[in-house]
Amino acid sequence: MSDASINASTVNAQTRADEASFGDYFALLKPRVMSLVVFTALVGLLAAPVPVHPFVGFCAILFIAIGGGASGALNMWWDADIDKVMKRTKGRPIPSGKVEEGEALALGLALSGMSVMMLALATNIFAGAFLAFTIFFYVVIYTMWLKRSTPQNIVIGGAAGAFPPVIGWVAATGSMSIEPWLMFALTFMWTPPHFWALALFMRSDYDDAGVPMLTVTHGRKATRRHILVYTVLLAMLAIGTAFSGIGGPVYLVVAVVLNALFLRGAWKISRRTEEDAEADNFKVERSFFKLSLLYLFLHFGAILVEALLKNYGLGGW
């Protein structure tokens, strides 16, 4: 074989290696975030007082998930410049060179339009409109505006991640009530301490990228105080929800235990100095962040259990 043939084969092999795979395009949809969207939307759908045909319910959750994935793709398209700088995100499909920015934009727009239209057709126009607003809020209000302009980015922007259970409820009922907004508030109030805990041990990422996270603009000491305040408010909301239409004894037990642990973690974080954190590589902050991942899942899991028990006349007070 000639040198030219060998060189051509090498170039072709390299080209194939650099081509985006299905996994790269799927990664654009932020599957971890999508899993939270799917689960909370499912809980909202099943906790609603109106029975939903299994096929309609499946379609509703599918299109809500696609809408959430579309938001993720558009977020990665807009944030490609800072994703290249941050250690946590530099391996994503666009900064790694696997997917072109234009491809991410096209995919996000196409999936957004399809998911909104199909959800409206499968359930009701109200649910489709709510999904459209959620995508707009996450992409335009949070990603394009708040994220790079204010340390309140996570606080206000957290609403985008809190809408899925409301959409699930609306898909089932076509109407509103206090219960889906309690689920919204639970996610909304959970978001700041969850992300601020992450920012405490990832501050250099946000510094390098120029993102005005609270740790960057006000420092870690102020962030620790904010985590404690928000955790106290969250605990009050979470435990109070036990006495609503979506609560019950099972939820109350879960809420009391989890919030006691969460408050304990937030208090420990608030009492630590930077020297303490540096000495153990932010052990307490990392532990709190890991607990926060379980926190929301178990609260919504308890709401789901209560809903299923009520179907057999066993749940509630």
Side-chain angles (χ1 to χ4, degrees):
M1 183 181 293
S2 66
D3 291 342
S5 298
I6 294 175
N7 290 337
S9 298
T10 302
V11 170
N12 290 335
Q14 184 63 45
T15 299
R16 287 193 299 272
D18 292 339
E19 288 179 352
S21 64
F22 173 80
D24 295 318
Y25 288 110
F26 184 66
L28 279 176
L29 308 183
K30 293 190 173 182
R32 289 184 181 179
V33 176
M34 190 194 297
S35 65
L36 178 62
V37 168
V38 168
F39 182 62
T40 57
L42 178 64
V43 173
L45 184 83
L46 296 179
V50 177
V52 178
H53 189 280
F55 181 72
V56 174
F58 170 79
C59 290
I61 297 304
L62 174 63
F63 298 133
I64 293 171
I66 292 173
S71 299
L74 293 171
N75 170 270
M76 287 200 191
W77 160 69
W78 185 263
D79 280 349
D81 58 333
I82 62 176
D83 282 350
K84 294 176 182 177
V85 178
M86 299 175 67
K87 294 177 182 177
R88 186 171 62 89
T89 57
K90 65 182 181 180
R92 287 177 173 174
I94 297 176
S96 65
K98 294 290 186 180
V99 177
E100 296 292 330
E101 292 182 27
E103 292 178 311
L105 173 60
L107 180 65
L109 291 175
L111 292 180
S112 294
M114 183 193 77
S115 61
V116 169
M117 179 180 67
M118 294 304 296
L119 181 63
L121 291 173
T123 58
N124 56 75
I125 294 177
F126 192 15
F130 220 111
L131 178 59
F133 175 75
T134 301
I135 295 171
F136 172 81
F137 192 97
Y138 182 71
V139 176
V140 178
I141 303 299
Y142 170 66
T143 302
M144 295 183 177
W145 176 32
L146 295 173
K147 185 172 183 177
R148 307 193 192 200
S149 62
T150 171
Q152 295 300 309
N153 47 18
I154 287 301
V155 178
I156 305 171
F163 282 127
V166 182
I167 301 173
W169 183 284
V170 172
T173 66
S175 62
M176 283 292 183
S177 65
I178 187 63
E179 288 84 4
W181 290 109
L182 286 173
M183 289 185 276
F184 170 92
L186 190 63
T187 308
F188 182 79
M189 293 299 296
W190 162 86
T191 303
H194 166 73
F195 276 101
W196 284 334
L198 173 67
L200 283 173
F201 58 86
M202 296 292 290
R203 176 180 167 175
S204 60
D205 261 12
Y206 297 106
D207 272 324
D208 295 342
V211 176
M213 190 64 77
L214 192 65
T215 49
V216 177
T217 60
H218 291 67
R220 287 190 175 125
K221 186 175 182 180
T223 303
R224 295 175 186 280
R225 291 197 300 268
H226 277 69
I227 288 175
L228 179 60
V229 171
Y230 270 83
T231 301
V232 170
L233 295 174
L234 173 62
M236 294 169 60
L237 170 69
I239 294 174
T241 298
F243 304 98
S244 71
I246 55 174
V250 174
Y251 175 89
L252 179 61
V253 171
V254 171
V256 168
V257 172
L258 281 175
N259 283 281
L261 293 173
F262 219 46
L263 285 167
R264 177 173 175 269
W267 174 254
K268 290 172 67 176
I269 285 177
S270 72
R271 306 302 297 172
R272 279 161 65 83
T273 65
E274 289 312 298
E275 290 73 20
D276 295 332
E278 295 287 351
D280 61 11
N281 192 28
F282 296 91
K283 181 179 178 180
V284 173
E285 292 79 2
R286 292 176 188 274
S287 177
F288 182 87
F289 177 75
K290 291 178 181 178
L291 176 61
S292 73
L293 297 173
L294 284 174
Y295 180 97
L296 199 64
F297 173 79
L298 292 177
H299 273 81
F300 272 85
I303 293 173
L304 179 59
V305 169
E306 291 287 359
L308 295 176
L309 288 174
K310 287 172 186 175
N311 288 336
Y312 295 96
L314 300 174
W317 296 103

